[in-house]
Amino acid sequence: DTEVTQTPKHLVMGMTNKKSLKCEQHMGHRAMYWYKQKAKKPPELMFVYSYEKLSINESVPSRFSPECPNSSLLNLHLHALQPEDSALYLCASSQDRTGNYGYTFGSGTRLTVV
Amino acid sequence: AQSVTQLDSHVSVSEGTPVLLRCNYSSSYSPSLFWYVQHPNKGLQLLLKYTSAATLVKGINGFEAEFKKSETSFHLTKPSAHMSDAAEYFCVVRPFNFNKFYFGSGTKLNVKP
């Protein structure tokens, strides 16, 4: 298995909703990442997990809450989002936190906040 | 400071003609460099990577890139464009011993029939 799987592919949520994005990989990678990508822009790093521990938080608002239950799974919990949070959310993984061999990206979750 | 500059936001070529997507970087000592491709509404796919081995790197789908330290460049090329190459391309640098990727602003490649 050489893929990063993200679910759901599309999500529409209201500003008072609570929802979660899920990311899974079975490549034995020990670092996992959340990126946010707005239209026609490069991805922006949100969070880095290394060996299931949060190692980087790029000053992301608390309405985004990451969770890494085990080495294969990464979640992003969403609560009280704003319309400007609408974007493509990408998950990625790498063999370790150095990222020397590159990242493997998932196909993303297209989030729309209404 | 680390930075990546993709010199062209849009490149348009005819099918069967060569492709050149330009990337310059600013980084201290021996960075790792990558090119990723993103098709519409898709995730990013790794095309190729340079990690201080051979300076000419071959990737998937006929793409290759040459690391030129003196010019701080890592341009992406392909001898003959195919319609399926139409996508957004990102040049990415990871500075030595630093766990963070820096993305360029992207180059949108259009391939005309």
Side-chain angles (χ1 to χ4, degrees), chain A residues 37 58 97-98 100 103, chain B residues 36 38 41 94 99-100:
Chain A
Q37 187 179 24
E58 292 285 302
R97 60 176 287 166
T98 67
N100 273 340
Y103 293 177
Chain B
Y36 282 86
Q38 186 175 32
N41 299 310
R94 186 190 71 79
N99 179 30
K100 189 170 179 179

Side-chain angles (χ1 to χ4, degrees), chain B residues 40-58:
Chain B
N41 299 310
K42 299 289 186 184
L44 282 79
Q45 182 183 19
L46 179 65
L47 277 178
L48 49 80
K49 58 181 180 279
Y50 166 77
T51 54
S52 74
T55 56
L56 182 61
V57 181
K58 293 188 186 299

Side-chain angles (χ1 to χ4, degrees), chain B residues 16 20 36 54 59 88 109-110:
Chain B
L20 170 64
Y36 282 86
E88 187 92 23
L109 176 65
N110 179 42

Side-chain angles (χ1 to χ4, degrees), chain B residues 43-89:
Chain B
L44 282 79
Q45 182 183 19
L46 179 65
L47 277 178
L48 49 80
K49 58 181 180 279
Y50 166 77
T51 54
S52 74
T55 56
L56 182 61
V57 181
K58 293 188 186 299
I60 62 171
N61 301 336
F63 284 95
E64 61 182 40
E66 186 171 8
F67 172 68
K68 291 187 176 181
K69 187 175 181 179
S70 60
E71 299 175 10
T72 60
S73 69
F74 190 57
H75 301 334
L76 182 71
T77 60
K78 182 173 180 177
S80 176
H82 192 273
M83 295 298 292
S84 61
D85 295 327
E88 187 92 23
Y89 291 79

Side-chain angles (χ1 to χ4, degrees), chain A residues 14-89:
Chain A
M15 290 188 283
T16 58
N17 291 161
K18 283 186 180 181
K19 296 286 184 183
S20 297
L21 309 185
K22 180 179 172 182
C23 172
E24 200 163 3
Q25 57 88 14
H26 297 285
M27 295 177 282
H29 288 179
R30 301 313 300 269
M32 296 184 77
Y33 311 81
W34 280 114
Y35 279 84
K36 174 182 177 179
Q37 187 179 24
K38 301 284 277 184
K40 302 185 190 303
K41 296 288 187 183
E44 298 174 3
L45 182 65
M46 300 175 71
F47 302 103
V48 179
Y49 272 83
S50 178
Y51 291 85
E52 295 99 70
K53 288 185 171 28
L54 183 65
S55 64
I56 296 178
N57 176 342
E58 292 285 302
S59 303
V60 178
S62 59
R63 58 185 183 269
F64 295 91
S65 174
E67 179 197 19
C68 190
N70 58 58
S71 60
S72 299
L73 192 55
L74 185 67
N75 297 319
L76 186 63
H77 303 298
L78 314 172
H79 174 55
L81 295 193
Q82 303 297 310
E84 60 264 28
D85 296 321
S86 299
L88 180 68
Y89 287 84

